[in-house]
Amino acid sequence: MLNRRDFLKISAAVAAVSPLSAVRAQSSSTDSSSEVSAANSLRAHAEQHGLLVGCAVAPERLANDAQYAALVAGQINLLVAENAMKWHALRPAPDKFDFTAADAILAFAESHNQKLRGHNLCWHEALPDWFASTVTKANARQTLTKHIETVAGHFAGKLHSWDVVNEAIDPASPRPDGLRVSPWLELAGEDYIELAFRTARQADPKALLTYNDYGIELDTPKHVDKRAKVLALVQRLHKSGIIDAVGVQSHLSAGDDVSGTGLRDFVRELRGMGLQVFITELDVNTQKAQGTVADRDAEVARIYREYLTHMLAESNVTAALTWGITDRYTWLNSPRYARPDGQRQRPLPFDADYKPTSAFFAERAALDSRPAAADRL
Ligand code: G3I
């Protein structure tokens, strides 16, 4: 949790970090021994194509790690809080809201001319400890609306978009509509999703209201089934005019076949409904991948290149974010995803020493592959 001293440090970092900060590059076929400076950053390449390129960030790292802050300032034009805008971060007690950490991210973004996404207003995870003993069928709807009114209201007019509801579909659900059997469903009723979106719309009419989910990227039977259920839910929300975008999380794994057409059909279906699509949490899990570090890097880069190139060919895909920016800080190096050989995973565009990985060059090439507006699908 961010304390006041961290907050002050972020304010100092905000002032000190220049978006022109350069980061030494690892040798690569295209940028051998060069620097990833402003002109050849992800951000510059994205902006040339009218795209948003982003990453998840942590405010305590922005405050305490100057190299990290420089990387985020120089490479990215769209931020999202990895954890700092979730319920457990904002709600220390049932009657308390603490915006210190989230506000620090907003201040960083504003001072570097970056946009900020909100993640998230309603999820079955990251709920505070008091939730289970405090929220009941009698007060769940009011608890949800009060949270959204307060949080979305606090940031009103300042955010690019909000993940209003996160991961509400579960292929293992016994329900035909696939709605996850979660505390929200059980306590607030099956229209809790509409309630959340309607409340968010009123609290912040400017933010793009987004439904965000994972496990819908591939053409495996499980992903195809989940994608169909997500589409049905989005159509339900679209009929009520309360959704603007869909977030495709894109937590992929080595070996994934990302050449299937199902996701692109889904994206086009959404385009027909006037909805944008954001790639919200891209990374590549190499927990079980064999081969050398170089082999695994090449596989991560292959997935970045193929996946992003396919997706960015679709005109309504307007933003691509990775779930972190450096391998130094990635949820995939938590014990749950540890490799059996003890080697660290390298799922992100910069390695643990802040040098660009093969994924960086693949991501940048994919941004450059964005067709000119006139040629876009
Ligand atoms: O902040 C505490 C720290 O004080 C404590 O010492 C430490 C000990 O475990 O825990 C810290 O909190 C952890 C937090 O990450 C910050 O590191 C939580 O236990 C841990 O559950 C939390 O995990 C996050 C997870 O969402 C659950 O909120 C991951 O960082 C975050 O990457 C992950 O992100 C999710 C997206 O929100 C939704 N899509 C999937 C994605 C990956 O799971």
Side-chain angles (χ1 to χ4, degrees):
M1 187 72 55
L2 201 77
N3 58 31
R4 176 148 179 82
R5 191 186 306 163
D6 284 336
F7 181 74
L8 291 173
K9 276 198 208 160
I10 292 193
S11 306
V14 161
V17 171
S18 154
L20 298 178
S21 304
V23 183
R24 297 288 315 163
Q26 201 175 31
S27 67
S28 91
S29 54
T30 47
D31 287 46
S32 182
S33 298
S34 67
E35 289 190 329
V36 182
S37 59
N40 51 16
S41 62
L42 294 174
R43 178 179 185 157
H45 283 246
E47 285 170 2
Q48 278 159 22
H49 300 281
L51 285 167
L52 293 169
V53 67
C55 72
V57 296
E60 64 277 9
R61 293 172 195 145
L62 291 174
N64 295 318
D65 181 340
Q67 271 186 289
Y68 172 85
L71 209 54
V72 173
Q75 296 293 325
I76 294 303
N77 59 14
L78 174 63
L79 308 186
V80 63
E82 182 169 358
N83 290 306
M85 291 165 89
K86 294 175 182 173
W87 274 65
H88 78 100
L90 296 177
R91 303 297 304 277
D95 54 352
K96 271 200 178 149
F97 290 81
D98 180 355
F99 291 107
T100 314
D103 282 348
I105 297 180
L106 180 63
F108 186 94
E110 285 179 340
S111 74
H112 295 99
N113 198 22
Q114 297 164 312
K115 294 183 191 293
L116 176 62
R117 308 194 68 236
H119 173 82
N120 51 56
L121 292 170
C122 179
W123 191 26
H124 61 283
E125 286 188 34
L127 293 168
D129 289 344
W130 54 260
F131 187 93
S133 57
T134 313
V135 184
T136 63
K137 282 192 176 175
N139 66 20
R141 292 175 78 86
Q142 197 225 349
T143 306
L144 180 63
T145 53
K146 183 185 167 200
H147 180 85
I148 295 177
E149 281 164 4
T150 309
V151 175
H154 178 83
F155 294 106
K158 295 178 179 160
L159 298 192
H160 162 265
S161 52
W162 261 114
D163 287 335
V164 180
V165 174
N166 196 40
E167 304 175 3
I169 298 290
D170 174 11
S173 168
R175 298 171 53 99
D177 60 8
L179 278 194
R180 182 184 298 277
V181 180
S182 72
W184 289 120
L185 181 76
E186 292 190 312
L187 299 174
E190 62 180 34
D191 68 334
Y192 80 91
I193 301 177
E194 276 85 353
L195 181 65
F197 273 85
R198 253 187 266 114
T199 310
R201 180 71 94 212
Q202 278 178 359
D204 185 354
K206 285 202 172 154
L208 297 168
L209 302 188
T210 307
Y211 175 76
N212 191 47
D213 216 329
Y214 67 93
I216 55 174
E217 295 82 6
L218 309 178
D219 279 357
T220 60
K222 211 171 154 189
H223 281 223
V224 169
D225 171 53
K226 182 163 178 179
R227 197 159 56 223
K229 289 179 170 133
V230 167
L231 181 60
L233 171 61
V234 171
Q235 285 167 333
R236 196 175 111 180
L237 298 169
H238 179 62
K239 274 196 193 124
S240 310
I242 47 179
I243 185 168
D244 304 304
V246 173
V248 181
Q249 290 188 9
S250 313
H251 291 293
L252 301 170
S253 292
D256 279 350
D257 176 1
V258 292
S259 67
T261 54
L263 179 59
R264 290 184 75 170
D265 292 342
F266 172 80
V267 168
R268 290 173 191 184
E269 188 81 32
L270 298 175
R271 186 174 68 219
M273 296 156 65
L275 303 183
Q276 295 188 45
V277 173
F278 311 135
I279 296 162
T280 49
E281 305 183 15
L282 175 65
D283 53 21
V284 179
N285 186 337
T286 52
Q287 183 179 29
K288 297 183 182 137
Q290 306 291 317
T292 63
V293 173
D295 293 337
R296 298 198 299 268
D297 277 3
E299 174 62 1
V300 172
R302 173 191 72 81
I303 291 184
Y304 266 69
R305 187 178 306 103
E306 287 183 13
Y307 183 75
L308 287 173
T309 303
H310 284 150
M311 288 292 274
L312 293 174
E314 304 295 330
S315 57
N316 56 324
V317 178
T318 54
L321 299 96
T322 49
W323 204 237
I325 191 165
T326 155
D327 299 333
R328 180 172 292 234
Y329 308 122
T330 160
W331 71 297
L332 290 175
N333 277 323
S334 62
R336 184 172 167 199
Y337 295 101
R339 288 177 52 81
D341 61 10
Q343 291 183 3
R344 289 175 64 82
Q345 295 211 39
R346 294 164 56 89
L348 292 168
F350 289 85
D351 72 10
D353 296 320
Y354 308 102
K355 291 176 181 142
T357 59
S358 313
F360 167 88
F361 296 104
E363 181 172 4
R364 206 176 57 180
L367 293 168
D368 285 336
S369 76
R370 173 76 158 182
D375 300 329
R376 255 174 242 156
L377 296 166

